[in-house]
Amino acid sequence: MADAPVALPASSLLQLIWLASPALPVGGFSYSEGLEAAIDSAGITTEPAVSDWLADQLHLALARADLAVVAQAVPAWRQTDAARIRALNDWVFQTRESAEFLLQTEQMGRSFVEWLKLHHADVADVFERLPASYPIAFAFAASRTEASARDACLAFAFGWAENMIGAAVKAVPLGQSAGQRILGRLAAEIPTAVDHAITLADDERQAFSPMLAVLSARHETQYSRLFRS
């Protein structure tokens, strides 16, 4: 008989829930990641269209880039591998495909570090010479729990999903029930996306989503908008 899986300690589970919360003061709610531009110019104006768009973004963009970085950064933080952390952080900054995407990861990473200073005494020293991207800052926080890299990625992805649903509900607009149906679909697909992300080697990560990049660039000058990106 196979051994039962070891339960994550309650303190670590609660930390992951906290890290995934849209209420975390890092500004995630203020970004639509190109979705607002897609609503304006790409016909993403119905519940099915938004659902398909976000599912594609999960698998084709998030899983192959930021989730893969989080999966690799969590063990690197635990091993105090500064060179590895810096290389992953540099990769995130170098592969943002628009000015808005770069601004987002810079601002959210900076805000995350400021929040972390309230909870870990060594944060100021750790990040003194490391302007952290959001995935790297998130991975640091997750590494201070007993959660696996996979569990950290699940939390990261769900936090992203909640922020994107919030953006869709406001910008399409959609009703709350529609938003919850889409969130349910994303929640069901997140484990598959994470399982793919954690298998990716350095030369298999990628941040290449041309239409998403074009829409993000269009959003910079969109006539009317609710979100920063």
Side-chain angles (χ1 to χ4, degrees):
M1 182 176 179
D3 293 336
V6 177
L8 190 63
S11 59
S12 292
L13 176 59
L14 289 170
Q15 281 291 318
L16 288 187
I17 293 171
W18 195 357
L19 295 178
S21 171
L24 204 70
V26 299
F29 65 89
S30 63
Y31 298 97
S32 74
E33 299 188 14
L35 178 62
E36 190 172 24
I39 292 165
D40 183 62
S41 61
I44 310 302
T45 57
T46 65
E47 179 185 339
V50 172
S51 182
D52 289 344
W53 177 272
L54 293 180
D56 283 347
Q57 188 172 348
L58 169 66
H59 294 290
L60 300 177
L62 195 73
R64 299 192 294 185
D66 287 5
L67 282 178
V69 168
V70 171
Q72 295 170 347
V74 168
W77 277 120
R78 287 173 174 160
Q79 294 159 15
T80 322
D81 189 342
R84 178 65 166 156
I85 290 297
R86 184 166 292 279
L88 290 168
N89 194 55
D90 288 346
W91 186 88
V92 174
F93 285 132
Q94 291 161 5
T95 56
R96 299 298 91 164
E97 292 189 284
S98 73
E100 286 196 344
F101 284 148
L102 180 59
L103 170 67
Q104 178 181 357
T105 202
E106 287 176 337
Q107 181 272 305
M108 290 182 66
R110 183 171 60 252
S111 297
F112 209 118
V113 169
E114 289 304 310
W115 178 79
L116 286 168
K117 289 177 181 178
L118 303 175
H119 305 281
H120 302 284
D122 60 341
V123 167
D125 290 337
V126 169
F127 290 99
E128 182 179 9
R129 295 180 178 83
L130 181 71
S133 62
Y134 175 56
I136 293 299
F138 184 98
F140 172 88
S143 75
R144 295 300 177 94
T145 73
E146 296 182 45
S148 67
R150 182 178 187 273
D151 286 341
C153 287
L154 290 171
F156 185 93
F158 191 78
W160 166 85
E162 283 212 288
N163 282 323
M164 295 305 294
I165 294 302
V169 166
K170 294 181 180 72
V172 172
L174 296 174
Q176 293 295 330
S177 294
Q180 288 301 301
R181 285 191 292 269
I182 299 172
L183 185 59
R185 174 183 176 180
L186 294 177
E189 296 193 24
I190 281 172
T192 299
V194 167
D195 287 340
H196 175 64
I198 63 180
T199 69
L200 297 178
D202 284 358
D203 60 357
E204 295 175 313
R205 289 195 315 270
Q206 61 173 291
F208 182 66
S209 304
M211 179 55 72
L212 191 62
V214 167
L215 289 168
S216 176
R218 287 181 181 176
H219 189 261
E220 295 174 24
T221 56
Q222 188 169 322
Y223 170 68
S224 177
R225 65 186 197 177
L226 298 174
F227 298 94
R228 296 184 68 181
S229 79

